[in-house]
Amino acid sequence: MSMIILIIGLWIFGTGDAVIIAAGLGVAPWTVLAQGIGVQFDYTIGQATFLISVVVLFLWIPLKEKPGIGTILNAILIAAAIDVMEPFLPHPKEYVFQLIQVLVGTILVGIGSGFYLTANLGPGPRDGWMTGIQRITEIPIGRVRTTIEIVALMIGWKLGGVFGLGTIIFAIFIRIMPSINKLIVSYVNITINKGDTINFNVAASGHPFFLIKNSNGGFGSDNLIEGVSNNGIENGTISWTSLESGTYYYICEYHPSMIGIITVNE
């Protein structure tokens, strides 16, 4: 079932990219780079997207990141979906329809992300590279992601990729992705009693798993639950004996939509 969810999610993600491309109003930062490479080397956008994924996977090697089947399928299926779907999509000339199409494409990317992250079969090449850099440098993941995407955007634009209003719309509205993901996937909420011990068996490369106090409080030491063993691991067992009643959370550091509630009763 996880494999089916993964494949569906990746195809939806790639279709969302294709919808934005067909709108002709500017594309997502990584797709600007793919467009630029396509212009310079006469590749389709899908082919250039796949090439970028392969190059980024080689950049995993010094970071000692390990790909999963989801990583490989991410590189293949998103690129394939772009090239397969884009010719069949509308290419509007009216500005209002272009705007609507960019929004629809962005929503599809969010929905696709929700599916393939839930499958938990390995991060995409770009996500894995970013999380590997974050792990090595300890620079906040948001800063790593923003810096890399700006660099990709600027290189792509210089090579002939399309940077426009659609790029800005994507950057702004992709923030709704966590809300979209929550509509797709409901994570299990847990209720225990004070003094109970709870164990999480984690097998989620690319998804550091934390137990925290405040869902919006970040991952600093002041927001981590005291007494948790192995907090923040990607593989292994996290164990916690609850000593105080209240509401707590388990969450992926890099994907805030992947969150569940732990209620501790007296």
Side-chain angles (χ1 to χ4, degrees):
M1 181 60 72
S2 293
M3 183 66 70
I4 294 173
I5 292 172
L6 173 70
I7 292 170
I8 291 172
L10 292 173
W11 196 266
I12 292 173
F13 189 112
T15 299
D17 258 346
V19 170
I20 297 171
I21 293 165
L25 206 59
V27 295
W30 280 104
T31 311
V32 174
L33 178 59
Q35 280 185 323
I37 291 173
V39 168
Q40 296 299 319
F41 298 98
D42 196 28
Y43 294 157
T44 67
I45 296 177
Q47 290 169 341
T49 297
F50 177 74
L51 175 64
I52 292 168
S53 294
V54 172
V55 171
V56 170
L57 279 173
F58 276 105
L59 296 176
W60 282 33
I61 296 173
L63 301 174
K64 297 181 179 180
E65 292 288 301
K66 296 180 180 180
I69 184 63
T71 309
I72 306 304
L73 289 179
N74 180 294
I76 296 170
L77 291 180
I78 290 178
I82 290 172
D83 278 354
V84 169
M85 301 302 292
E86 195 270 340
F88 297 101
L89 295 169
H91 294 70
K93 301 301 181 184
E94 296 83 359
Y95 195 65
V96 64
F97 293 117
Q98 290 178 307
L99 288 173
I100 292 171
Q101 191 157 316
V102 169
L103 290 173
V104 170
T106 302
I107 292 171
L108 287 174
V109 168
I111 292 173
S113 295
F115 275 103
Y116 95 75
L117 291 174
T118 302
N120 195 27
L121 293 173
R126 295 153 187 77
D127 280 346
W129 184 39
M130 292 176 190
T131 57
I133 292 173
Q134 192 280 331
R135 176 174 49 80
I136 296 296
T137 64
E138 298 186 352
I139 298 171
I141 187 65
R143 192 178 304 168
V144 173
R145 182 181 298 276
T146 300
T147 300
I148 290 175
E149 290 184 349
I150 289 174
V151 171
L153 171 64
M154 295 306 296
I155 294 173
W157 179 59
K158 286 291 186 180
L159 292 174
V162 181
F163 168 59
L165 181 58
T167 311
I168 297 170
I169 291 173
F170 179 88
I172 294 173
F173 281 88
I174 200 63
R175 295 178 183 274
I176 71 173
M177 185 167 62
S179 299
I180 294 173
N181 290 346
K182 288 176 183 177
L183 295 175
I184 301 170
V185 181
S186 295
Y187 291 91
V188 176
N189 294 328
I190 301 167
T191 300
I192 58 176
N193 295 319
K194 187 169 70 173
D196 289 347
T197 297
I198 185 170
N199 296 308
F200 293 88
N201 295 317
V202 182
S205 296
H207 304 284
F209 188 102
F210 280 90
L211 303 187
I212 60 175
K213 302 173 185 175
N214 186 326
S215 62
N216 296 313
F219 299 92
S221 58
D222 59 333
N223 196 42
L224 300 182
I225 299 174
E226 294 86 358
V228 177
S229 63
N230 298 322
N231 213 0
I233 63 171
E234 299 179 16
N235 293 280
T237 300
I238 294 176
S239 183
W240 175 49
T241 299
S242 56
L243 300 179
E244 296 184 11
S245 60
T247 301
Y248 305 90
Y249 303 87
Y250 67 89
I251 187 171
C252 171
E253 180 179 8
Y254 303 140
H255 305 103
S257 62
M258 301 170 70
I259 185 171
I261 300 171
I262 306 171
T263 302
V264 180
N265 295 325
E266 285 287 348

